[in-house]
Amino acid sequence: MSVNREIRLAARPVGEPRPDDFELATTDIPEPGEGQVLVRNTWMSVDPYMRGRMDDVESYIPPFQLGAPMDGSAVGEVIESRSADIPVGATVVHFLGWREYSVVDAADAT
């Protein structure tokens, strides 16, 4: 049985982020619901704006939550589809990166 690996924010960094500010967690691979696809992420974006999201301050985008999987842009392959619009095998871009497998609403995938 395969597992899902995801990166979570473990602590709010002070200055430059350190490895101890993150944790690698394993979970079950999620099941897509109607209108969703299961994506195996192959590329995840790490962008400068993400450092600001590691602080618990008001901004144009919500901060990362401690203990929750981090998100951000990702590219991956659809390995299961419950959407008539996106077939298995399609390559999609979405915003649920920082994990190996993501369940994405078809409307949120490009």
Side-chain angles (χ1 to χ4, degrees), residues 19-57:
D20 290 349
D21 295 324
F22 306 92
E23 66 180 340
L24 174 64
T26 57
T27 64
D28 292 333
I29 294 175
E31 294 283 330
E34 192 61 38
Q36 296 180 319
V37 295
L38 177 62
V39 179
R40 184 180 64 79
N41 295 323
T42 52
W43 296 94
M44 291 171 246
S45 179
V46 178
D47 297 299
Y49 84 93
M50 293 177 165
R51 175 59 188 90
R53 293 188 68 196
M54 293 177 195
D55 296 328
D56 191 13
V57 296

Side-chain angles (χ1 to χ4, degrees), residues 57-98:
V57 296
E58 190 172 324
S59 182
Y60 67 95
I61 190 166
F64 293 123
Q65 297 301 305
L66 293 177
M70 296 174 66
D71 56 26
S73 294
V75 176
E77 178 183 358
V78 174
I79 61 169
E80 186 177 341
S81 178
R82 297 206 48 208
S83 167
D85 298 325
I86 303 176
V88 169
T91 299
V92 296
V93 176
H94 61 87
F95 201 70
L96 294 176
W98 292 66

